[in-house]
């Protein structure tokens, strides 16, 4: 199956792991430079004020979280090792609890042994995550691994973060807005932790929107991440809109209550119809709703954690600032005859048959399953398809969104008058 095409019963996730080795940092102290000076230095000769991370690096150095090297450098572009990151996070928590390490390659004399023991006690390090009883302290941290440690650290500070991790881990509705979700290159077990990292803003995607779970992080980037992490520790999960969107999707298949002004009524929401068949009145086939993802396009800028996944701000700019939300529905559809996207929407319930394709650039960037044409008969009789298409909802008071499945199950939302 080619990348970017809509799929017939394809698996969403591919598993992959990758860890890259990195050279051991040099800790030798020149005769003219003392250990105390290396540990207390807060500005570094290789981090000028013009460096993008200068302020963050200065802050973490002043707080004693990250020390420079003995030669007066910080090495901002160097990759961060497991031993180093364990040390940085242990300094954030600065607790007294320790859990003895059973790692065969981290002895009592290892410089990071105490930090690793604190990590095990706090829980941001899980012994079960490592194979063959080896910690590999000099291995570079991957972004997926860093997400796991950071999310576990937040869970130690606030149990509600632990509940958020569990909810996304145990739900079949979890949707993380990174290209690797559908395209592969991410370990499925890392997804809830990446969700917490994205939802709280601890980590973000790159310019091409990829998360690069198997990529590494530099010492400059880690300085910024540590500042964000300490800020997040002071907040509850409910204070992060992006995380609340992800949790609502994991719970109900939609983010409508978090990102829009629609409210639930006395009837059920989307969760009442998910996966339930709806037979089209024009007899073209049977459809089910699997997800209903909203992007706030009511103002001059799109909003929501899923905006980059579905909405092309440049190409679809005319859709902005008109008091409307974009709805991106994921459907399962089994046609009764060969039909096009437009054909199945004619005479059918609008929420079970969106007539507009997802922007093609987003289809390609995020590996989204979606038709290539609205008029060609891409849905063939006898096949079952899972695909995305888009619709619209108006934010005006009194507006409602509703529909039902064949068994009478109903979803109903409205904008309060």
């Amino acid at each position: 199956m080619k990348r970017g095409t809509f799929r017939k019963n394809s698996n969403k996730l591919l598993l992959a792991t990758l860890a890259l080795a990195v050279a051991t940092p040099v800790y030798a102290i020149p005769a003219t430079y003392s250990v105390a000076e290396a540990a207390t230095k807060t500005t570094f000769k290789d981090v000028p004020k013009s460096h993008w991370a200068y302020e963050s690096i200065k802050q973490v150095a002043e707080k004693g979280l990250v020390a420079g090297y003995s030669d007066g450098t910080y090495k901002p572009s160097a990759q961060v090792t497991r031993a180093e990151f364990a040390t940085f996070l242990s300094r954030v928590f600065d607790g007294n609890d320790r859990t003895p390490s059973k790692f065969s390659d981290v002895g009592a004399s290892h410089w990071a042994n105490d930090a690793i023991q604190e990590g095990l006690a706090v829980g941001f390090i899980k012994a079960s995550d490592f194979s063959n009883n080896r910690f590999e302290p000099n291995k570079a941290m991957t972004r997926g691994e860093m997400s796991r440690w950071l999310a576990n650290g937040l869970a130690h500070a606030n149990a509600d973060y632990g509940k958020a991790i569990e909810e996304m881990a145990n739900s079949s509705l979890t949707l993380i807005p990174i290209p690797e979700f559908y395209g592969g290159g991410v370990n499925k077990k890392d997804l809830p932790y990446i969700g917490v990292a994205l939802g709280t803003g601890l980590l973000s995607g790159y310019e091409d929107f990829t998360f690069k779970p198997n990529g590494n992080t530099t010492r400059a980037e880690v300085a910024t991440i540590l500042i964000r992490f300490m800020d997040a520790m002071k907040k509850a999960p409910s204070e992060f809109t992006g995380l609340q969107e992800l949790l609502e999707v994991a719970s109900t298949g939609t983010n409508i209550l978090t990102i829009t002004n629609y409210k639930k009524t006395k009837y059920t929401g989307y969760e009442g119809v998910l996966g339930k068949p709806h037979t089209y009145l024009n007899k073209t086939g049977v459809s089910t709703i699997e997800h209903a993802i909203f992007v706030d396009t009511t103002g001059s800028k799109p909003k929501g954690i899923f905006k980059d996944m579905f909405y092309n701000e440049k190409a679809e700019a005319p859709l902005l600032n008109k008091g409307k939300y974009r709805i991106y529905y994921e459907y399962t559809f089994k046609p009764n005859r060969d039909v096009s996207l437009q054909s199945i929407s004619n005479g059918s319930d609008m929420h079970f048959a969106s007539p507009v394709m997802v922007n093609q650039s987003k289809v390609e960037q995020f590996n989204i399953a979606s038709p290539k044409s609205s008029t060609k008969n891409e849905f063939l009789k006898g096949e079952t398809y899972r695909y995305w298409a888009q619709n619209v909802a108006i934010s005006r008071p009194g507006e409602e969104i509703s529909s039902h499945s064949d068994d009478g199950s109903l979803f109903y939302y409205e904008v309060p008058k």
Side-chain angles (χ1 to χ4, degrees):
M1 181 64 63
K2 292 184 178 180
R3 184 171 172 270
T5 58
F6 80 119
R7 307 173 180 90
K8 297 182 284 186
N9 287 344
S10 61
N11 291 325
K12 293 181 180 179
L13 304 173
L14 298 175
L15 308 181
T17 56
L18 178 65
L20 302 177
V22 66
T24 305
V26 177
Y27 293 96
I29 307 293
T32 58
Y33 202 76
S34 71
V35 174
E37 287 173 330
T40 58
K41 196 169 181 63
T42 60
T43 57
F44 309 94
K45 61 185 181 183
D46 59 346
V47 185
K49 287 187 177 181
S50 58
H51 192 283
W52 68 269
Y54 174 82
E55 288 298 333
S56 294
I57 291 171
K58 190 172 184 293
Q59 282 187 56
V60 295
E62 288 173 345
K63 295 176 183 296
L65 301 179
V66 182
Y69 289 80
S70 58
D71 61 357
T73 64
Y74 182 84
K75 294 181 173 50
S77 299
Q79 294 176 346
V80 177
T81 68
R82 287 175 176 171
E84 287 178 315
F85 198 60
T87 301
F88 302 158
L89 282 187
S90 72
R91 289 170 179 163
V92 172
F93 288 99
D94 195 26
N96 297 317
D97 293 335
R98 300 291 185 273
T99 296
S101 167
K102 295 182 180 180
F103 297 121
S104 61
D105 56 351
V106 181
S109 61
H110 192 282
W111 65 270
N113 180 54
D114 187 68
I116 293 168
Q117 289 191 6
E118 184 175 358
L120 290 166
V122 169
F124 66 78
I125 297 175
K126 304 287 187 184
S128 58
D129 290 339
F130 301 89
S131 59
N132 302 321
N133 231 23
R134 289 176 56 80
F135 185 75
E136 298 184 272
N138 295 328
K139 182 169 281 189
M141 288 285 293
T142 66
R143 283 165 56 83
E145 192 172 38
M146 192 170 287
S147 297
R148 184 180 289 266
W149 289 24
L150 292 169
N152 283 335
L154 288 178
H156 176 79
N158 186 329
D160 286 343
Y161 286 104
K163 294 176 183 177
I165 293 168
E166 290 181 11
E167 188 167 347
M168 285 188 283
N170 297 327
S171 173
S172 62
L173 298 173
T174 294
L175 180 64
I176 307 300
I178 58 175
E180 294 89 350
F181 185 86
Y182 285 122
V186 59
N187 188 323
K188 184 178 180 181
K189 292 182 179 180
D190 285 338
L191 286 173
Y193 303 97
I194 293 173
V196 170
L198 287 173
T200 56
L202 292 177
L203 294 173
S204 58
Y206 290 87
E207 289 185 3
D208 62 354
F209 305 109
T210 59
F211 186 79
K212 294 181 173 50
N214 299 312
N216 304 125
T217 305
T218 66
R219 284 169 57 86
E221 290 171 325
V222 161
T224 302
I225 290 168
L226 289 173
I227 298 297
R228 293 172 182 168
F229 180 71
M230 289 186 292
D231 182 60
M233 286 178 65
K234 302 172 187 177
K235 299 179 179 180
S238 58
E239 296 181 65
F240 294 99
T241 301
L243 182 55
Q244 290 309 298
E245 285 186 73
L246 296 178
L247 292 175
E248 187 185 353
V249 170
S251 176
T252 64
T254 184
N255 59 339
I256 184 174
L257 299 179
T258 303
I259 200 66
T260 78
N261 61 350
Y262 278 86
K263 304 297 180 184
K264 207 169 179 180
T265 64
K266 63 180 179 179
Y267 304 105
T268 57
Y270 281 110
E271 73 277 4
V273 301
L274 292 182
K276 295 183 179 180
H278 173 91
T279 303
Y280 294 147
L281 296 177
N282 59 6
K283 307 300 182 183
T284 51
V286 178
S287 179
T288 62
I289 294 174
E290 308 294 345
H291 281 99
I293 305 299
F294 285 70
V295 173
D296 183 356
T297 53
T298 59
S300 59
K301 288 287 184 181
K303 297 178 182 179
I305 198 167
F306 291 98
K307 65 180 177 61
D308 291 332
M309 184 174 184
F310 293 105
Y311 182 79
N312 185 319
E313 186 172 354
K314 184 176 181 180
E316 299 178 292
L319 303 176
L320 290 170
N321 219 22
K322 294 184 177 179
K324 296 179 180 180
Y325 301 103
R326 307 309 297 181
I327 315 173
Y328 298 89
Y329 280 113
E330 185 185 28
Y331 300 110
T332 296
F333 175 57
K334 187 170 184 177
N336 291 330
R337 61 177 184 270
D338 295 356
V339 291
S340 66
L341 184 68
Q342 188 62 52
S343 295
I344 63 176
S345 65
N346 291 335
S348 301
D349 183 285
M350 66 172 288
H351 292 291
F352 277 89
S354 296
V356 181
M357 301 178 295
V358 176
N359 180 269
Q360 188 60 35
S361 70
K362 295 303 176 182
V363 168
E364 295 174 357
Q365 288 172 341
F366 284 83
N367 305 286
I368 296 169
S370 186
K372 291 183 177 181
S373 167
S374 61
T375 57
K376 292 182 179 179
N377 290 347
E378 295 185 56
F379 298 94
L380 306 180
K381 180 180 178 180
E383 301 285 356
T384 299
Y385 297 84
R386 189 147 174 158
Y387 72 98
W388 290 86
Q390 63 171 303
N391 216 312
V392 67
I394 301 173
S395 65
R396 186 172 53 231
E399 293 291 333
E400 53 88 12
I401 296 174
S402 64
S403 192
H404 60 84
S405 54
D406 287 348
D407 67 358
S409 298
L410 177 73
F411 69 85
Y412 194 104
Y413 303 87
E414 64 184 11
V415 180
K417 295 181 180 180

